[in-house]
C-alpha cells in the first residue's frame, strides 16, 4: 500500500472514531448527561469537559484541513451539537462555538499558521458587543473596554473582542491570547446557566493588524467550508441547540406518558386522547422545522461543492430556517411542559431545565424577530438590513 493510501486510510479511521456513532462520542454524551447539574452550579463548562470535546473533534471541526483540521460539512457538525444539546443545553451551546474558527479564516494566512502551530484543536470565544472604539497606533490598535456575552470564555485559548473599523455592518474583531483578557464573572441568569457567558475586559492592550479581522469577512482559506456563509452558520449552530432541547423534552414527555396516573386519579397520560393528539402534532411541527433546517443546509453545501457561488436567496433561507427552527423548538418545549401537568412545576424536573434554556436561545440577536424582516426583504427584492447577508 502506498504512503498516500495509508494516510488516507488513517484519516478515514480517525473520522470514524470521532463520528456521532462512535463509542467515544457516545461516552461524551453520557458524561454530559451525568454532569449537567455540575455545569449549572459552576456557571460554566469546565476545562476538563472542553478537553473531552476536543477528543471527539468539536474544536477541529472548523479548522482548515491545510492546518490539520477536519473542516466538517456543516450538517455533520450541526448534528453533533444537536445531540450534545439533547444531553444538556449549556454544553451544546458551548460546544457550538467549535464552529467559530470559520470566522478566523478571515485572518491573514500567515497569522492562521501561527494560530494553529500547536495543533488544530483551538478553542475560540468572544464578546464582540458593544463595539468599542480602539486607538490606532503604529502597526495596530490599542484596545480598551468591556464586552458582553462571551460564551465559553473560561475554557478558551484565544478571545476576540469587537473594535471599530468594520464594514457593511460586520465588526472588526481583535484577537488576544486568553491570558491577556480579564473575565468579569457576572453570568447570573435563568437559563443556559452553564455557558459561562461572562463579560470581557481589556485595559490598554495593543494588538497588531495581523491579529484583527472582519467578522464574516472574506476568507483567506480556499476550502469549501469557508465558502459557506459565515454569519448564517453562526446562527445555525445556536438554533440547533433548541432542536436538541425540544427532542429531550419530547423524550421526557413520552417517558412520563405511560408511567403514572394523575394526582386526582385520572387515567395515565397515554390513555388520554387530547394528550395523544397534541403529542403527535408537536412531533410533526418539530420534524417539519428540522427538515427545513437541514434541507437548506444540505442544498447550500451541495451547491458549494459543485463550485457554484452562494446566492443571497440561499443565505436568506439559511437564516430563515434557523430562526424558524429556534422558535418552533421553543414552542415544542412549552407545549410539552403544558402537557406534563402539575409535576413539571418542580424546579428539578427536567422540563423546567428545557423550558428555561430554550427561551434563552430565542433571545439571541441572530435568531430574533428581525430575521424574518431580512428574509422577507430578500424574497421581495428589497435590500435587507446591514449584516443580514
Amino acid at each position: 500500500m502506498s504512503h498516500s493510501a495509508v494516510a488516507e486510510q488513517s484519516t478515514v479511521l480517525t473520522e470514524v472514531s470521532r463520528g456521532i456513532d462512535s463509542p467515544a462520542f457516545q461516552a461524551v454524551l453520557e458524561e454530559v448527561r451525568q454532569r449537567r447539574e455540575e455545569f449549572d452550579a459552576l456557571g460554566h463548562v469546565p476545562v476538563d469537559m472542553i478537553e473531552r470535546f476536543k477528543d471527539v473533534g468539536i474544536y477541529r471541526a472548523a479548522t482548515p484541513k491545510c492546518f490539520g483540521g477536519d473542516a466538517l460539512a456543516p450538517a455533520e457538525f450541526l448534528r453533533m451539537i444537536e445531540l450534545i444539546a439533547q444531553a444538556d443545553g449549556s454544553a451544546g451551546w458551548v460546544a457550538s462555538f467549535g464552529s467559530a474558527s470559520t470566522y478566523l479564516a478571515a485572518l491573514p494566512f500567515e497569522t492562521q499558521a501561527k494560530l494553529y502551530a500547536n495543533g488544530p484543536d483551538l478553542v475560540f470565544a468572544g464578546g464582540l458587543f458593544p463595539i468599542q472604539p480602539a486607538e490606532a497606533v503604529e502597526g495596530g490598535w490599542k484596545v480598551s473596554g468591556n464586552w458582553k456575552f462571551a460564551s465559553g470564555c473560561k475554557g478558551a485559548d484565544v478571545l476576540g473582542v469587537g473594535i471599530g473599523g468594520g464594514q457593511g455592518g460586520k465588526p472588526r474583531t481583535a484577537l488576544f491570547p486568553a491570558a491577556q483578557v480579564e473575565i468579569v464573572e457576572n453570568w447570573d441568569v435563568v437559563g443556559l446557566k452553564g455557558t459561562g457567558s461572562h463579560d470581557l475586559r481589556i485595559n490598554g492592550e495593543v494588538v497588531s493588524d495581523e491579529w484583527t479581522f472582519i467578522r464574516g469577512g472574506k476568507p483567506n482559506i480556499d476550502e469549501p467550508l469557508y465558502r459557506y456563509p459565515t454569519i448564517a452558520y453562526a446562527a445555525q449552530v445556536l438554533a440547533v441547540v433548541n432542536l436538541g432541547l425540544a427532542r429531550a423534552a419530547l423524550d421526557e414527555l413520552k417517558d412520563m406518558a405511560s408511567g403514572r396516573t394523575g394526582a386526582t386519579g385520572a387515567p395515565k397520560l397515554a390513555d388520554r386522547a387530547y394528550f395523544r393528539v397534541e403529542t403527535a402534532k408537536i412531533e410533526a411541527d418539530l420534524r417539519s422545522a428540522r427538515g427545513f433546517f437541514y434541507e437548506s443546509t444540505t442544498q447550500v453545501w451541495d451547491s458549494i461543492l459543485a463550485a457554484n457561488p452562494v446566492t443571497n436567496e440561499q443565505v436568506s433561507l439559511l437564516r430563515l430556517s434557523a430562526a424558524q427552527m429556534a422558535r418552533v423548538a421553543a414552542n415544542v418545549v412549552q407545549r410539552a411542559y403544558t402537557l406534563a401537568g402539575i409535576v413539571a412545576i418542580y424546579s428539578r424536573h427536567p422540563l423546567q431545565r428545557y423550558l428555561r434554556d430554550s427561551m434563552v436561545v430565542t433571545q439571541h440577536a441572530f435568531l430574533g424577530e428581525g430575521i424574518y424582516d431580512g428574509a422577507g426583504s430578500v424574497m421581495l427584492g428589497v435590500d435587507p438590513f446591514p449584516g443580514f447577508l
Side-chain angles (χ1 to χ4, degrees):
M1 184 180 293
S2 69
H3 290 298
S4 61
V6 171
E8 182 178 347
Q9 184 182 57
S10 175
T11 299
V12 170
L13 289 173
T14 301
E15 289 174 352
V16 169
S17 71
R18 286 201 300 266
I20 59 174
D21 296 322
S22 70
F25 190 79
Q26 293 302 313
V28 164
L29 293 181
E30 182 56 31
E31 184 173 350
V32 168
R33 279 188 286 269
Q34 294 297 323
R35 297 181 64 183
R36 60 187 188 179
E37 296 288 348
E38 174 194 346
F39 303 158
D40 273 13
L42 287 172
H44 66 275
V45 176
V47 172
D48 69 304
M49 193 72 240
I50 298 297
E51 291 298 321
R52 299 282 283 121
F53 287 157
K54 286 182 180 180
D55 291 341
V56 294
I58 294 297
Y59 291 106
R60 65 174 59 195
T63 300
K65 291 186 177 181
C66 63
F67 296 122
D70 292 341
L72 282 183
E76 291 184 53
F77 183 74
L78 290 165
R79 180 60 176 147
M80 294 172 79
I81 301 307
E82 179 184 351
L83 291 172
I84 294 171
Q86 190 173 337
D88 176 55
S90 291
W93 188 269
V94 170
S96 78
F97 289 94
S99 68
S101 290
T102 54
Y103 288 142
L104 303 180
L107 284 165
F109 186 89
E110 296 77 11
T111 303
Q112 293 182 61
K114 296 175 185 176
L115 196 59
Y116 299 115
N118 294 323
D121 298 295
L122 183 79
V123 186
F124 167 52
L128 297 185
F129 298 99
I131 301 296
Q132 302 288 349
E135 178 187 350
V137 297
E138 185 176 356
W141 307 85
K142 186 175 182 180
V143 179
S144 297
N146 279 62
W147 296 263
K148 302 191 71 64
F149 304 122
S151 299
C153 59
K154 297 195 74 172
D157 301 312
V158 290
L159 292 166
V161 296
I163 62 174
Q167 54 188 239
K170 299 175 181 178
R172 179 172 294 277
T173 302
L175 200 63
F176 291 91
Q180 287 185 249
V181 182
E182 179 187 355
I183 295 174
V184 182
E185 297 193 27
N186 59 356
W187 186 241
D188 182 14
V189 291
V190 172
L192 293 180
K193 294 180 181 180
T195 62
S197 303
H198 301 294
D199 286 7
L200 302 180
R201 179 181 295 154
I202 295 176
N203 185 20
E205 296 285 350
V206 174
V207 60
S208 63
D209 281 325
E210 66 172 326
W211 290 97
T212 73
F213 61 94
I214 302 299
R215 189 188 69 160
K218 184 179 178 181
N220 290 306
I221 301 292
D222 186 20
E223 295 178 13
L225 180 59
Y226 311 101
R227 295 194 286 272
Y228 195 84
T230 309
I231 303 300
Y233 192 26
Q236 288 186 296
V237 300
L238 302 180
V240 82
V241 170
N242 257 9
L243 179 55
L245 289 168
R247 177 51 57 197
L250 276 173
D251 287 347
E252 180 66 26
L253 199 64
K254 291 173 186 177
D255 287 344
M256 294 173 62
S258 58
R260 68 175 178 85
T261 57
T264 62
K268 290 184 294 186
L269 293 173
D271 292 334
R272 307 179 199 182
Y274 77 86
F275 185 91
R276 297 193 298 269
V277 169
E278 181 65 3
T279 299
K281 286 182 177 179
I282 59 181
E283 179 75 37
D285 287 346
L286 184 61
R287 286 178 179 267
S288 296
R290 185 180 190 274
F292 176 29
F293 179 79
Y294 279 111
E295 178 187 63
S296 301
T297 303
T298 301
Q299 285 180 346
V300 174
W301 183 246
D302 287 347
S303 181
I304 288 170
L305 294 181
N308 297 316
V310 176
T311 66
N312 288 348
E313 289 74 18
Q314 288 175 326
V315 176
S316 181
L317 281 179
L318 290 176
R319 300 208 66 178
L320 176 62
S321 65
Q324 179 69 2
M325 194 185 66
R327 278 165 164 64
V328 169
N331 180 254
V332 163
V333 176
Q334 289 179 299
R335 290 155 72 185
Y337 169 81
T338 300
L339 279 177
I342 193 68
V343 297
I345 70 171
Y346 288 95
S347 59
R348 296 187 67 83
H349 194 281
L351 284 170
Q352 280 286 337
R353 173 190 296 275
Y354 307 144
L355 188 67
R356 295 192 302 266
D357 288 353
S358 66
M359 290 298 99
V360 175
V361 174
T362 61
Q363 299 298 94
H364 196 281
F366 279 174
L367 303 170
E369 194 72 15
I371 301 304
Y372 292 93
D373 175 44
S377 296
V378 173
M379 289 174 63
L380 299 174
V382 178
D383 289 338
F385 61 83
F388 179 75
L389 296 174

